Amino acid sequence: MTDTILLVGYIHKLAYKLAECLKEDGFQIIMAGKNCADETLSPFIELNLNDPADLQASVLQLPDFDSVIIFPGWYGHGDFLDTTNLDWESALTENFYHMVYVGQAIALAFIARKKPGKLLYMSSTMGIRPTVETIAQGTTFTMLESLVKTAAVDLAEHQITVNLIAHGWVDLVSSTDPIFPRARPEIEQDVPLKRTGLPKDIASLIAFLMSQASVYITGAVIPVDGGALLTKSAFSSPYQ
């Protein structure tokens, strides 16, 4: 039987590319939440991420799924002294509060259907190691990692695993994408494997984490960055 993966939250360009890769690997895909990509996503189910009660009711109405990938939505950048109240409100809302609401709704759906489940959050290595001009997103991604570890403990009794992928620089072959711009050559040279990541690199790990081979893995924060976290942090902004 083919497993079905629900991609939920802020469905941006990377989520769309991961969906393509996972379909090639034989998974059935459902997309729901807020469409942040330029692509026409079909089928796509709009969800209200602001209202936990409404979100829980809506998730229960979704077609059956075996595992879930949850995507945060705020990737703005700026220096600590330049970030505004709106920056912090947006980052906290899209990268933390909504991630809590979606995770709760998914977990309750698994419990209601009396089936084990796999929750996988997508994040960035900026939550593990600070990077210049990424203070708001980096701070909220660090909060997300803490959420994942604690939720893994609370949901273990329901046979629901919770993990997080922290990706490094990902090349979506799109120089105009504001969230995932093309990497400069000097950024690639700072990566020990001498290249930036591709969606397939992340999708391969997702396929493993969604398989039965990973049933004893929970609360893990797994970087997919070509070894970049093993080297010194860049002193210049990756966005300039």
Side-chain angles (χ1 to χ4, degrees):
M1 178 181 290
T2 301
D3 282 354
T4 298
I5 301 178
L6 169 65
L7 278 64
V8 64
Y10 292 87
I11 307 302
H12 43 55
K13 190 80 170 182
L14 177 58
Y16 183 74
K17 292 295 184 182
L18 291 176
E20 290 180 345
C21 294
L22 292 168
K23 285 180 181 178
E24 291 174 1
D25 289 337
F27 291 99
Q28 296 290 330
I29 299 296
I30 303 171
M31 291 186 177
K34 181 177 180 180
N35 183 4
C36 302
D38 293 333
E39 321 288 340
T40 299
L41 308 181
S42 179
F44 187 85
I45 304 166
E46 291 285 343
L47 296 176
N48 178 7
L49 304 179
N50 288 302
D51 186 331
D54 182 67
L55 184 59
Q56 291 170 18
S58 298
V59 167
L60 286 173
Q61 298 303 312
L62 293 176
D64 196 22
F65 48 83
D66 302 290
S67 51
V68 179
I69 310 172
I70 305 175
F71 295 87
W74 199 87
Y75 289 83
H77 54 277
D79 182 82
F80 174 65
L81 296 177
D82 297 329
T83 50
T84 65
N85 289 347
L86 180 59
D87 290 333
W88 285 102
E89 270 185 40
S90 299
L92 286 166
T93 298
E94 297 183 16
N95 293 353
F96 186 72
Y97 296 133
H98 287 175
M99 299 300 94
V100 173
Y101 304 157
V102 173
Q104 288 175 326
I106 296 300
L108 288 169
F110 279 133
I111 294 169
R113 294 170 181 176
K114 294 182 169 56
K115 61 186 295 186
K118 292 173 178 288
L119 276 178
L120 177 62
Y121 281 90
M122 291 299 304
S123 184
S124 161
T125 52
M126 293 173 189
I128 300 175
R129 184 180 67 186
T131 303
V132 174
E133 293 192 346
T134 59
I135 184 160
Q137 60 170 295
T139 299
T140 50
F141 287 155
T142 299
M143 294 169 65
L144 190 56
E145 291 171 13
S146 180
L147 170 70
V148 163
K149 294 175 182 179
T150 307
V153 174
D154 287 348
L155 295 176
E157 65 176 289
H158 303 288
Q159 297 301 302
I160 298 172
T161 61
V162 190
N163 294 294
L164 181 144
I165 290 179
H167 66 77
W169 201 281
V170 183
D171 190 351
L172 300 182
V173 195
S174 171
S175 59
T176 60
D177 189 282
I179 298 177
F180 302 102
R182 296 297 299 275
R184 300 190 307 271
E186 59 266 31
I187 290 177
E188 292 186 331
Q189 290 305 307
D190 282 342
V191 178
L193 290 182
K194 299 305 178 188
R195 69 174 178 87
T196 50
L198 298 171
K200 185 64 178 176
D201 298 319
I202 302 172
S204 296
L205 176 58
I206 291 173
F208 167 72
L209 290 173
M210 299 312 189
S211 73
Q212 286 302 302
S214 70
V215 293
Y216 204 57
I217 299 174
T218 193
V221 174
I222 307 173
V224 181
D225 67 345
L229 282 174
L230 303 176
T231 62
K232 68 182 180 64
S233 177
F235 290 102
S236 62
S237 169
Y239 290 98
Q240 295 181 356

